Amino acid sequence: MKFIVISAVYNMSEHLKENIDVLKAQTYANFEVYFGDDLSTDNSCDVIEQNIQGDDRFRLVRHQQKLYSMGNIAETIKLAQPADDDVIVLIDGDDKLADATALEYLKNTYSNEQCLMTFGSYTVNGKTGSKCSAYPSIVQKLNLFRYAKWRANHLKTFKYSLWKQVNPASLTLTREEVEKTLNFYLYTGRIRAWLECRKIKYEDLVTEDNKYVRRCSDKYITSPLLEMAGERAHYIDKVLYHYLGPQGPHNFGNSSKKWSQRLLRQAISLKPRYKNIAK
């Protein structure tokens, strides 16, 4: 089994070396790492190049246009050209795996559980994340992932064979979908949300080419995968990931960060669900 580690980077120079050091120390060595840099303005690329020198498992991808987190991850996966059975592992550039055995534990999990994806447990500020738990069986059976309490947290991994079935339209929003979300707020009596979200500029929600949403990549990436994997989406209670916590600058242009994120989260619940392909 081969792991393809995708690490999205933007101005993370202070934390990248720790990420790289833990990856280099892994007891399971069949992996490749792709750092996707989203036009960093600090010395992140220099730090990556200095610390991966001489290890051909590591690669730096310098994107030529601003992609934000969602586009950075999706485009870096494309450039990695994984095989169907390869497992994609998402590690934010400023975070890191919990220890040197994390990939080995993942390899054994995929072999023993015959799963299509995993999500699981992490620490933040030295404490286990509060949102680490499995989805109730009723959510899996009735394909209610988009409507249930969010649980698909770090460490997120999935077979590339699953990812390649995600429609690109799932990773962005159209103007019509934004309007549909505004109407949903109005029809359900959420007047404050409707008033605030009406002020948001469409151009502040998506990349310049409209291919990707700017934020909330966790839900836009993982919701389709959970729906397709169903009961073969496996929760791991062992801590495999150290999360630094929310980082980065405001990236919704002149629009409200708070209400832009709320609109994006609501909008994904109104998108069409995927069918379970793992039955």
Side-chain angles (χ1 to χ4, degrees), residues 135 139-140 143-150 223 226-227 230 233:
Y135 282 94
V139 172
Q140 295 177 318
N143 198 6
L144 300 175
F145 294 103
R146 284 177 200 250
Y147 319 120
K149 175 185 174 183
W150 186 250
S223 295
L226 286 166
E227 290 167 347

Side-chain angles (χ1 to χ4, degrees), residues 157-171:
T157 80
F158 45 88
K159 290 285 188 79
Y160 178 69
S161 59
L162 203 62
W163 172 256
K164 74 176 189 179
Q165 297 181 68
V166 175
N167 188 325
S170 297
L171 309 180

Side-chain angles (χ1 to χ4, degrees), residues 48-86:
I48 293 169
E49 288 180 331
Q50 290 166 11
N51 285 279
I52 68 174
Q53 191 172 11
D55 193 329
D56 59 9
R57 296 173 299 177
F58 292 78
R59 296 168 176 80
L60 169 62
V61 177
R62 295 174 184 255
H63 295 297
Q64 300 303 305
Q65 66 182 88
K66 190 66 179 173
L67 295 169
Y68 302 94
S69 57
M70 178 71 260
N72 191 347
I73 292 167
E75 292 297 320
T76 305
I77 291 175
K78 252 186 231 181
L79 291 168
Q81 298 183 315
D84 281 1
D85 206 41
D86 289 347

Side-chain angles (χ1 to χ4, degrees), residues 56-117:
D56 59 9
R57 296 173 299 177
F58 292 78
R59 296 168 176 80
L60 169 62
V61 177
R62 295 174 184 255
H63 295 297
Q64 300 303 305
Q65 66 182 88
K66 190 66 179 173
L67 295 169
Y68 302 94
S69 57
M70 178 71 260
N72 191 347
I73 292 167
E75 292 297 320
T76 305
I77 291 175
K78 252 186 231 181
L79 291 168
Q81 298 183 315
D84 281 1
D85 206 41
D86 289 347
V87 175
I88 309 297
V89 180
L90 301 184
I91 305 174
D92 291 343
D94 52 357
D95 297 334
K96 60 185 178 181
L97 293 176
D99 57 44
T101 66
L103 292 184
E104 186 171 357
Y105 189 91
L106 272 176
K107 185 263 181 185
N108 292 334
T109 299
Y110 272 90
S111 297
N112 296 335
E113 302 294 336
Q114 292 298 296
C115 50
L116 292 174
M117 66 177 292

